[in-house]
């Protein structure tokens, strides 16, 4: 059977329906895509792509590599894929690479970049998976190298082309091509006003260029549209709050923080809340006892030391609350983290651990020495700006 993207999908009809439902949820950021796949993943022995998607986004969501959501689904995908299913085999191979901790290799396996050229074609699933994998390790230049040619060759008649354009707009602004990103992002959003990744790409354009007025028009005037797209809404609120912070409106910033903190039920939402509070304090604003609640939430996170971006933000909370019951436990665990020789391990050893220690010891010169490697912790340029902000704040405090 063919899915909504026009590709053959192995599996029974209800499973293909679940696969389409999962993508409907994901592209519009409403409800849980993996929940839509759960029954088909467990029971349909012909269904390969559902387990691949579940394993992949469990890892990208911060799950441990040995978590059942990862290992069980990867085992299902391996068991079910047929050798003559070329597309299925390539997707399973990418999942295997990711699930052992080699994120860039997984993305390269999808894009063909490791074989001197892109091989995605007009395959939205591979395109999206690779886009998200490269983002996880901050490989924006690598992402651009594969996307530019693919987008240029994508059929104009494809009704899904605007989703691809919205994704590429994000890549363009991440690589400094803001004018191109603006043009493509506006086009994508006009084609589908509910395309939140396109709106998100434009938010990054305006954040990267410091255009508060345009950002406010994009976000503040459309809250009724994107605020119900729950998978990404907290992050969009973060973007809006940053523009209020840039304007010195700390009252609105803290109002947004207080209202959203109960909704910070995933590690990436918690990262947004942590980042917002840290930036406000670096800006010289008083945040009261709000760090107590943030530290409590991070102390309850059990999936640790799997994503450098996430653990950097957990560290910020414990730095602000050194006497919290979870502080020593977090930092001791970070030091004791095992190195198994894969990319994620290298990122922790070479970048995350030294960066966190530099933050903890308040040494701006040590932070500066890591400037060329910090992209490897993942996230966007706008998100990683917290590192620059911290270095500048510490430099002022110590008189450098």
């Amino acid at each position: 059977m063919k899915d909504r993207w026009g590709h053959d999908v192995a599996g029974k009809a209800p499973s293909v329906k679940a696969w389409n439902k999962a993508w409907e949820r994901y592209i519009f950021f409403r409800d849980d895509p993996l929940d839509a796949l759960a029954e088909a993943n467990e029971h349909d022995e012909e269904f390969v792509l559902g387990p691949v998607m579940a394993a992949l986004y469990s890892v990208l969501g911060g799950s441990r590599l040995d978590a059942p959501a990862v290992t069980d689904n990867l085992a299902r995908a391996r068991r079910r894929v047929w050798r003559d299913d070329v597309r299925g085999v390539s997707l399973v191979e990418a999942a295997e690479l990711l699930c052992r901790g080699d994120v860039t290799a997984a993305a390269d396996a999808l894009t063909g970049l490791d074989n001197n050229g892109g091989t995605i074609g007009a395959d939205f699933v591979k395109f999206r998976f690779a886009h998200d994998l490269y983002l996880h390790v901050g490989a924006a230049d690598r992402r651009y190298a594969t996307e530019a040619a693919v987008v240029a060759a994508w059929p104009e008649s494809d009704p899904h082309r605007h989703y691809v354009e919205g994704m590429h707009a994000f890549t363009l602004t991440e690589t400094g091509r803001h004018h191109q990103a603006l043009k493509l992002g506006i086009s994508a959003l006009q084609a589908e006003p509910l395309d939140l990744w396109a709106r998100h790409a434009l938010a990054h354009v305006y954040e990267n260029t410091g255009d508060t007025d345009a950002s406010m028009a994009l976000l503040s005037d459309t809250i009724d549209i994107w605020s119900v797209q729950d998978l990404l809404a907290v992050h969009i609120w973060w973007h809006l709050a940053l523009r209020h912070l840039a304007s010195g409106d700390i009252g609105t910033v803290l109002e947004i923080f207080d209202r959203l903190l109960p909704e910070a039920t995933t590690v990436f939402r918690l990262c947004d809340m942590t980042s917002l509070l840290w930036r406000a304090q670096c800006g010289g604003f008083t945040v009261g006892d709000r760090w107590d609640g943030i530290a409590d939430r991070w102390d309850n996170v059990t999936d640790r030391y799997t994503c450098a971006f996430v653990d950097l933000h957990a560290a910020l909370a414990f730095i602000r609350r050194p006497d919290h019951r979870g502080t020593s436990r977090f930092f001791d665990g970070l030091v004791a983290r095992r190195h198994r020789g894969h990319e994620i391990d290298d990122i922790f050893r070479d970048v995350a651990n030294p960066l966190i220690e530099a933050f903890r010891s308040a040494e701006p010169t040590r932070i500066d020495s890591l400037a060329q490697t910090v992209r490897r912790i993942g996230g966007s340029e706008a998100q990683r700006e917290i590192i620059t902000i911290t270095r500048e704040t510490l430099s002022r405090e110590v008189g450098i």
Side-chain angles (χ1 to χ4, degrees):
M1 294 181 61
K2 292 192 180 296
D3 64 8
R4 64 176 293 145
W5 311 115
H7 289 280
D8 291 326
V9 177
K12 297 180 174 64
S15 299
V16 178
K17 183 178 180 180
W19 171 251
N20 287 334
K21 183 176 182 180
W23 278 107
E24 181 79 10
R25 289 181 175 186
Y26 187 39
I27 60 176
F28 291 123
F29 293 92
R30 288 178 176 166
D31 302 321
D32 185 350
L34 301 189
D35 183 60
L37 293 168
E39 185 174 349
N41 285 351
E42 183 175 356
H43 298 296
D44 185 351
E45 287 299 317
E46 301 174 21
F47 191 37
V48 176
L49 297 188
V52 167
M53 186 177 191
L56 187 146
Y57 282 111
S58 293
V59 173
L60 295 188
S63 293
R64 301 185 319 274
L65 299 184
D66 61 353
V70 177
T71 58
D72 289 356
N73 280 299
L74 183 58
R76 288 169 181 148
R78 284 171 174 159
R79 183 176 68 245
R80 295 172 184 177
V81 70
W82 289 85
R83 291 183 182 179
D84 61 354
D85 178 3
V86 177
R87 180 169 180 260
V89 167
S90 68
L91 285 161
V92 172
E93 287 177 347
E96 288 178 329
L97 287 165
L98 173 64
C99 293
R100 78 180 189 194
D102 291 324
V103 186
T104 302
D108 287 352
L110 292 172
T111 63
L113 193 60
D114 55 346
N115 294 319
N116 300 315
T119 59
I120 294 177
D123 189 331
F124 183 85
V125 172
K126 283 189 176 184
F127 192 92
R128 183 75 215 204
F129 285 175
H131 181 87
D132 292 342
L133 287 165
Y134 285 133
L135 175 60
H136 199 66
V137 288
D141 288 337
R142 210 169 183 87
R143 191 166 72 236
Y144 176 79
T146 60
E147 284 188 4
V150 174
V151 172
W154 204 282
E156 292 284 349
S157 59
D158 185 347
H160 306 115
R161 180 181 166 85
H162 61 84
Y163 294 122
V164 174
E165 291 179 343
M167 290 158 57
H168 192 49
F170 179 73
T171 298
L172 287 168
T173 192
E174 284 293 283
T175 55
R177 298 169 172 87
H178 306 307
H179 180 72
Q180 292 173 263
L182 185 64
K183 182 178 179 180
L184 210 58
I186 289 173
S187 173
L189 193 59
Q190 286 176 340
E192 175 51 83
L194 295 179
D195 185 349
L196 191 52
W197 200 250
R199 190 177 300 278
H200 171 249
L202 290 171
H204 275 270
V205 172
Y206 300 139
E207 187 64 36
N208 291 340
T209 57
D211 193 337
T212 296
D213 290 342
S215 184
M216 289 294 188
L218 175 76
L219 302 179
S220 185
D221 296 347
T222 58
I223 290 174
D224 59 323
I225 295 176
W226 55 261
S227 63
V228 295
Q229 295 177 271
D230 57 290
L231 287 182
L232 199 61
V234 168
H235 184 63
I236 304 301
W237 278 113
W238 175 81
H239 275 283
L240 185 56
L242 290 189
R243 290 297 89 207
H244 283 293
L245 186 62
S247 301
D249 185 2
I250 187 62
T252 298
V253 171
L254 295 180
E255 185 275 326
I256 290 173
F257 175 91
D258 291 339
R259 180 162 43 81
L260 292 183
L261 186 59
E263 298 178 29
T265 54
T266 70
V267 290
F268 284 99
R269 293 174 189 173
L270 195 52
C271 285
D272 284 335
M273 295 296 94
T274 303
S275 170
L276 188 58
L277 210 59
W278 184 274
R279 289 167 185 247
Q281 201 158 358
C282 284
F285 296 106
T286 301
V287 300
D289 61 359
R290 290 175 175 85
W291 281 113
D292 295 333
I294 287 285
D296 287 345
R297 284 178 175 265
W298 279 117
D299 193 34
N300 289 328
V301 171
T302 56
D303 287 345
R304 291 180 171 177
Y305 321 128
T306 62
C307 175
F309 178 85
V310 169
D311 286 300
L312 171 65
H313 285 80
L316 298 182
F318 292 122
I319 288 169
R320 289 300 190 206
R321 287 297 179 265
D323 297 327
H324 191 277
R325 62 183 181 275
T327 298
S328 61
R329 180 165 57 247
F330 174 82
F331 288 115
D332 289 347
L334 186 64
V335 171
R337 185 188 185 281
R338 289 181 60 192
H339 189 286
R340 296 175 175 84
H342 299 297
E343 181 183 21
I344 291 175
D345 302 315
D346 292 343
I347 291 170
F348 271 92
R349 182 195 62 196
D350 300 338
V351 186
N353 286 33
L355 183 62
I356 289 170
E357 188 54 38
F359 272 47
R360 197 179 181 194
S361 58
E363 297 180 70
T365 55
R366 289 183 67 187
I367 297 174
D368 198 44
S369 69
L370 294 163
Q372 299 304 311
T373 61
V374 293
R375 62 164 184 78
R376 295 175 62 199
I377 69 170
S380 67
E381 288 287 332
Q383 288 171 311
R384 292 192 302 272
E385 190 186 17
I386 196 171
I387 298 167
T388 303
I389 291 170
T390 302
R391 176 178 53 78
E392 292 173 350
T393 302
L394 292 175
S395 296
R396 288 195 301 271
E397 290 175 353
V398 300
I400 294 179

